Amino acid sequence: MNNTAQPILTATDLTMDYAAQAAKPRAAQPAPGGPGAFAPHPLALNRVNFTLYPGETVAVMGPSGSGKSTLLHALAGIITPTAGAVQFRGTNLASMPDSARTALRRNAFGFVFQSGQLLPELPAVENIALPLMLGGMPYAQATSQAVLWLERFGLRALMNQRPGEMSGGQMQRVAIARALSVGPAVIFADEPTGALDQTTGHEVMRLLMDAARANNASVVLVTRDPNVAAYCSHTVQMRDGMITPAAPRTAAQPRPQTQPAPMQGGDAR
């Protein structure tokens, strides 16, 4: 990793306290332990600092409930942290109006989730074209670009099929094509192989990382599987809402041409 590059995404002292709002109405009923005392509760994020560089691929690992998905959602502007700041290319997401954050998620960020989250009523070509059309592109142009993505991923034959007519691996490929169709600067992937068998999971990861490199997109990947994390150039570990001390960043290495280790099963995070 070239440390002289300017970060594309930074988070400073991120704190997420989901219980804060629930605790306010109980202000008149302090918990045992003295006047005004409250029973402690864990923070989903506890003063987390995170930096992402252009083209960098980072895996966020940790046990269930460690704060991985909360961190991803905060970095992507899906949720607003209780304290701290997230900056994308120097702009604080919290200072942006809702419409600007929505546009940012639509045009600069791409998302791949465990279930794919494709719209069940739309065929593959329109699922991919949808974010382009939401950005103002005419239907004919958007669907033409979507067809090119389907061809690139070997899915041209599925262009008119709906998600219910596809396999899990096919749906994830369409979801990756949709995420990449807008030319995002950052791709956020939350357990993208969690519902797939190990062979399909490795195929999806190779496709995702190769496509991200080809488009110079950064990747933030949440996973509990070290074999999935191995596709990234850098890994951070989370526990109890905090990032543990990290190893030095290294440049991404080519994926070895050996049989990969089995991935874990598709349990929810």
PDB file of all heavy atoms in Angstrom, residues 28 34 68 79 84 107 128 216:
ATOM      1  N   ALA A  28     -35.207   9.222  35.182  1.00  0.00           N
ATOM      2  CA  ALA A  28     -35.709   9.413  36.541  1.00  0.00           C
ATOM      3  C   ALA A  28     -35.621   8.140  37.364  1.00  0.00           C
ATOM      4  O   ALA A  28     -35.970   8.132  38.536  1.00  0.00           O
ATOM      5  CB  ALA A  28     -37.149   9.905  36.504  1.00  0.00           C
ATOM      6  N   GLY A  34     -25.946   3.895  42.904  1.00  0.00           N
ATOM      7  CA  GLY A  34     -25.764   5.262  43.350  1.00  0.00           C
ATOM      8  C   GLY A  34     -26.655   6.205  42.584  1.00  0.00           C
ATOM      9  O   GLY A  34     -27.203   5.871  41.524  1.00  0.00           O
ATOM     10  N   LYS A  68     -19.048  -5.473  13.270  1.00  0.00           N
ATOM     11  CA  LYS A  68     -18.589  -5.433  11.871  1.00  0.00           C
ATOM     12  C   LYS A  68     -19.602  -4.755  10.958  1.00  0.00           C
ATOM     13  O   LYS A  68     -19.267  -3.826  10.217  1.00  0.00           O
ATOM     14  CB  LYS A  68     -18.339  -6.859  11.350  1.00  0.00           C
ATOM     15  CG  LYS A  68     -17.392  -7.695  12.167  1.00  0.00           C
ATOM     16  CD  LYS A  68     -17.130  -9.036  11.525  1.00  0.00           C
ATOM     17  CE  LYS A  68     -18.390  -9.864  11.307  1.00  0.00           C
ATOM     18  NZ  LYS A  68     -19.063 -10.243  12.564  1.00  0.00           N
ATOM     19  N   ILE A  79     -26.291   4.534   8.412  1.00  0.00           N
ATOM     20  CA  ILE A  79     -26.662   4.956   9.754  1.00  0.00           C
ATOM     21  C   ILE A  79     -25.741   6.095  10.175  1.00  0.00           C
ATOM     22  O   ILE A  79     -24.632   6.238   9.653  1.00  0.00           O
ATOM     23  CB  ILE A  79     -26.572   3.803  10.777  1.00  0.00           C
ATOM     24  CG1 ILE A  79     -25.142   3.245  10.850  1.00  0.00           C
ATOM     25  CG2 ILE A  79     -27.556   2.693  10.431  1.00  0.00           C
ATOM     26  CD1 ILE A  79     -24.941   2.201  11.927  1.00  0.00           C
ATOM     27  N   GLY A  84     -18.439  10.831  16.693  1.00  0.00           N
ATOM     28  CA  GLY A  84     -17.390  10.586  15.717  1.00  0.00           C
ATOM     29  C   GLY A  84     -17.792  11.055  14.333  1.00  0.00           C
ATOM     30  O   GLY A  84     -18.895  11.590  14.129  1.00  0.00           O
ATOM     31  N   ASN A 107     -24.369   6.763  -6.275  1.00  0.00           N
ATOM     32  CA  ASN A 107     -23.425   7.019  -7.359  1.00  0.00           C
ATOM     33  C   ASN A 107     -21.972   6.686  -7.041  1.00  0.00           C
ATOM     34  O   ASN A 107     -21.201   6.374  -7.959  1.00  0.00           O
ATOM     35  CB  ASN A 107     -23.507   8.503  -7.760  1.00  0.00           C
ATOM     36  CG  ASN A 107     -24.891   8.908  -8.229  1.00  0.00           C
ATOM     37  OD1 ASN A 107     -25.541   8.153  -8.938  1.00  0.00           O
ATOM     38  ND2 ASN A 107     -25.353  10.074  -7.814  1.00  0.00           N
ATOM     39  N   ILE A 128     -29.983  -4.581 -12.640  1.00  0.00           N
ATOM     40  CA  ILE A 128     -28.681  -3.916 -12.835  1.00  0.00           C
ATOM     41  C   ILE A 128     -28.869  -2.484 -13.310  1.00  0.00           C
ATOM     42  O   ILE A 128     -28.133  -1.574 -12.905  1.00  0.00           O
ATOM     43  CB  ILE A 128     -27.823  -4.711 -13.833  1.00  0.00           C
ATOM     44  CG1 ILE A 128     -27.519  -6.106 -13.276  1.00  0.00           C
ATOM     45  CG2 ILE A 128     -26.519  -3.971 -14.146  1.00  0.00           C
ATOM     46  CD1 ILE A 128     -26.868  -7.025 -14.272  1.00  0.00           C
ATOM     47  N   ASN A 216     -10.642  -0.123 -10.344  1.00  0.00           N
ATOM     48  CA  ASN A 216      -9.923   0.646  -9.332  1.00  0.00           C
ATOM     49  C   ASN A 216     -10.831   1.063  -8.180  1.00  0.00           C
ATOM     50  O   ASN A 216     -10.730   2.164  -7.629  1.00  0.00           O
ATOM     51  CB  ASN A 216      -9.261   1.887  -9.936  1.00  0.00           C
ATOM     52  CG  ASN A 216      -8.187   2.457  -9.012  1.00  0.00           C
ATOM     53  OD1 ASN A 216      -7.489   1.715  -8.334  1.00  0.00           O
ATOM     54  ND2 ASN A 216      -8.063   3.773  -8.979  1.00  0.00           N
TER      55      ASN A 216
END
